[in-house]
Amino acid sequence: MPCDWGASLGPGFRGRVRYQRVFHWTAPLPANAAVQLVFTGIDARATVSLNGQPLGDINGQNVPAWFEITDRLVATTRLIVDVECPSFA
């Protein structure tokens, strides 16, 4: 995902945007391994889903959010992050 959404959307962007990332997972995990998605520095509200299943929400207050995805990995995994950049009016 982009590090600075303002750089890709423009600093004054307000509205809803969807980021998608597809990644491939074929290696077996060790029995005690864990895989997490970690989001930091997010100042907008967002909803996160993986393979069409909701993972949770990000509250948009620059508070880190992480989601356990070990059991959700498949050969082709699709991450979707729907971001809401509210107007400040």
Side-chain angles (χ1 to χ4, degrees):
M1 299 291 157
C3 292
D4 179 358
W5 293 339
S8 63
L9 297 172
F13 177 82
R14 297 294 172 253
R16 187 173 295 152
V17 65
R18 173 174 279 185
Y19 288 101
Q20 295 186 85
R21 174 75 43 105
V22 175
F23 56 96
H24 303 281
W25 192 271
T26 57
L29 291 172
N32 60 350
V35 178
Q36 294 183 337
L37 290 174
V38 179
F39 296 86
T40 60
I42 297 177
D43 61 356
R45 295 189 54 81
T47 301
V48 181
S49 63
L50 195 71
N51 301 321
Q53 300 297 313
L55 290 178
D57 296 321
I58 297 172
N59 69 13
Q61 299 175 354
N62 285 320
V63 176
W66 57 92
F67 303 98
E68 169 65 44
I69 64 166
T70 307
D71 295 335
R72 297 177 185 233
L73 293 173
V74 294
T76 300
T77 298
R78 180 179 305 274
L79 170 66
I80 294 177
V81 182
D82 289 316
V83 180
E84 182 71 36
C85 299
S87 131
F88 295 112

